[in-house]
């Protein structure tokens, strides 16, 4: 279980660093493109050859802000604004667990689709992923119960917040 978690974290870190490197390369190429008109014209010709849409639109500050996710985070904070801090954190963790479950479910389905049930290694990997999915699902349901109990103890009668978090 720990090995699978560590592998997942390492893979996520690898993806993050890869995405960050690609973003940095794009920023550097954009900076070089803005230095002279000649470079801009050659870049435009190059982008037209590679794709119709690639490099043809520059994001405004408003679009960059929207894509950064800050606005969504602020809305999420407001969504739980009147709840106690510990319940808010539990609800946020529930949403994270739900996303993890969705991703893991897709991985299990994909593995099941391409697995050779005669190959013991592939079958073992599938069984591990499936077991991890089941354990995470059980933790998710336990967390729902804990949030419900914490809300009752805090005197929160509106359970629609919990329903929104799990829906």
């Amino acid at each position: 279980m720990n090995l699978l978690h560590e592998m997942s974290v390492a893979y996520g870190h690898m993806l993050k660093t890869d995405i960050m490197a690609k973003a940095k390369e794009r920023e550097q190429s954009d900076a070089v493109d803005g230095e002279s008109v000649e470079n801009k014209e050659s870049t435009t010709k190059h982008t037209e050859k590679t794709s119709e849409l690639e490099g043809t639109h520059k994001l405004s500050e408003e679009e960059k802000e929207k894509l950064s996710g800050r606005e969504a985070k602020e809305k999420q904070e407001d969504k739980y604004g009147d709840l106690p801090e510990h319940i808010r954190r539990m609800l946020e963790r529930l949403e994270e667990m739900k996303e993890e479950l969705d991703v893991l479910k897709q991985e299990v389905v994909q593995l099941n689709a391409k697995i050779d049930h005669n190959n013991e290694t592939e079958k073992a990997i599938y069984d591990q992923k499936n077991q991890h999915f089941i354990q995470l699902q059980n933790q998710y349901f336990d967390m729902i119960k804990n949030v419900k109990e914490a809300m009752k103890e805090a005197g929160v009668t509106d359970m629609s917040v919990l329903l929104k978090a799990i829906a």
Side-chain angles (χ1 to χ4, degrees), residues 113-142:
K114 66 179 181 181
I115 190 173
D116 178 12
H117 290 282
N118 295 329
N119 186 338
E120 292 298 320
T121 306
E122 289 180 1
K123 190 174 180 182
I125 292 172
Y126 169 78
D127 289 341
Q128 273 186 328
K129 281 274 190 193
N130 195 34
Q131 188 65 29
H132 182 247
F133 173 75
I134 291 169
Q135 289 174 350
L136 187 61
Q137 196 172 30
N138 288 335
Q139 290 174 1
Y140 179 73
F141 292 130
D142 289 341

Side-chain angles (χ1 to χ4, degrees), residues 4-164:
L4 185 58
H5 175 72
E6 289 176 21
M7 289 173 45
S8 176
V9 169
Y11 182 70
H13 179 70
M14 182 183 70
L15 287 176
K16 178 185 170 194
T17 54
D18 186 41
I19 290 171
M20 296 297 285
K22 288 180 182 178
K24 189 176 276 189
E25 288 175 10
R26 281 188 179 158
E27 287 176 4
Q28 290 173 350
S29 69
D30 287 345
V32 170
D33 289 344
E35 289 180 6
S36 70
V37 175
E38 294 175 9
N39 287 345
K40 210 173 216 180
E41 291 175 1
S42 65
T43 303
T44 304
K45 290 177 185 176
H46 176 66
T47 56
E48 288 174 1
K49 291 178 184 176
T50 56
S51 170
E52 290 179 356
L53 299 176
E54 186 178 333
T56 59
H57 180 71
K58 298 285 184 184
L59 294 176
S60 68
E61 290 300 317
E62 183 179 310
E63 291 170 323
K64 288 179 183 177
E65 182 72 24
K66 189 173 184 177
L67 289 173
S68 73
R70 284 187 215 142
E71 184 178 319
K73 287 179 184 176
E74 289 172 4
K75 284 182 182 179
Q76 185 178 12
E77 289 174 4
D78 290 37
K79 182 169 53 172
Y80 304 131
D82 58 342
L83 294 174
E85 182 66 27
H86 71 285
I87 294 175
R88 187 178 321 152
R89 285 192 309 263
M90 291 171 81
L91 289 169
E92 289 171 358
R93 178 62 185 137
L94 256 179
E95 290 177 352
E96 291 171 6
M97 289 175 79
K98 184 176 184 241
E99 290 174 9
E100 289 176 41
L101 277 170
D102 290 341
V103 169
L104 196 56
K105 182 179 179 180
Q106 289 175 353
E107 290 176 7
V108 169
V109 168
Q110 288 174 351
L111 274 174
N112 190 30
K114 66 179 181 181
I115 190 173
D116 178 12
H117 290 282
N118 295 329
N119 186 338
E120 292 298 320
T121 306
E122 289 180 1
K123 190 174 180 182
I125 292 172
Y126 169 78
D127 289 341
Q128 273 186 328
K129 281 274 190 193
N130 195 34
Q131 188 65 29
H132 182 247
F133 173 75
I134 291 169
Q135 289 174 350
L136 187 61
Q137 196 172 30
N138 288 335
Q139 290 174 1
Y140 179 73
F141 292 130
D142 289 341
M143 179 67 95
I144 291 173
K145 290 177 189 175
N146 293 338
V147 170
K148 187 177 175 183
E149 290 173 12
M151 289 175 78
K152 283 182 182 178
E153 289 174 8
V156 177
T157 57
D158 183 17
M159 295 293 171
S160 65
V161 176
L162 177 60
L163 292 175
K164 288 178 185 175

